[in-house]
Amino acid sequence: GRMPSAAPAWSAPTVFGTKFMKGGEQLLAVDSSGLAHVWGITELLEAEYWENAPQGHRPLPTLTHKLHDCSIFSVAVSPDDSVVFTGGDDVIKAWDAPSITTPGATPKLLGTASPPQKTLSRGAVAGIPETNGLALSGDGKTLYAACGDGSAYSYDAHTLKGVGEFVGHTD
């Protein structure tokens, strides 16, 4: 058979998480290709922008950064917008937020945390579980990670040291 000349629509990256930043002036999105995209949305909220845009216009991100070598499934932002946390198939990463949201800056990694590997039957060790969800406590001191091994884990948001485990379902 003949090979298609363009990638099928289903192969496009999937956005898994979004967060507003800078008082709603920026939108951060993370996707299945390990990228984080930032849009300045202030002008996008003005009617004049859309009245003058061509039909079918899709605004491009103002910044894009490669943050993981795998899918990023989750994102959380500290209450003061100083730290961005990302989670995917590998580890949880903490980033200096201004280095992600400022034009010309290079993303600065502040630290990483790995959800624990579980010992399976007969002594086998499971891989690092994917991080499907991230959330911060109201005071921003504790980071919670919902993982693919059926558990949630808590971390000190400043040091990324593990604090606790919440055992969930087993199916």
Side-chain angles (χ1 to χ4, degrees):
R2 196 173 136 220
M3 295 295 289
S5 59
W10 53 262
S11 69
T14 300
V15 172
F16 286 118
T18 58
K19 290 291 177 192
F20 283 106
M21 298 184 67
K22 295 190 176 184
E25 294 179 13
Q26 290 182 326
L27 178 65
L28 171 67
V30 294
D31 73 20
S32 60
S33 61
L35 297 175
H37 309 279
V38 179
W39 284 266
I41 63 169
T42 304
E43 74 173 340
L44 301 179
L45 299 176
E46 298 175 12
E48 184 178 328
Y49 176 89
W50 293 102
E51 290 167 358
N52 295 322
Q55 185 174 355
H57 173 70
R58 291 182 173 181
L60 296 174
T62 50
L63 299 166
T64 295
H65 299 289
K66 181 77 167 173
L67 299 183
H68 287 251
D69 291 327
C70 58
S71 293
I72 303 174
F73 296 123
S74 51
V75 62
V77 178
S78 63
D80 65 357
D81 277 356
S82 66
V83 181
V84 170
F85 299 92
T86 56
D89 274 330
D90 52 3
V91 295
I92 298 166
K93 296 183 179 185
W95 301 92
D96 173 68
S99 73
I100 293 173
T101 61
T102 304
T106 301
K108 180 181 176 186
L109 182 64
L110 301 175
T112 62
S114 291
Q117 293 176 283
K118 303 269 178 120
T119 301
L120 305 173
S121 64
R122 302 171 83 163
V125 177
I128 295 171
E130 77 275 7
T131 302
N132 295 311
L134 290 171
L136 281 159
S137 59
D139 62 8
K141 293 181 180 178
T142 306
L143 177 68
Y144 296 93
C147 295
D149 64 358
S151 293
Y153 300 93
S154 58
Y155 300 89
D156 178 300
H158 299 288
T159 66
L160 292 180
K161 299 288 183 209
V163 176
E165 176 181 0
F166 303 89
V167 178
H169 59 86
T170 57
D171 59 347

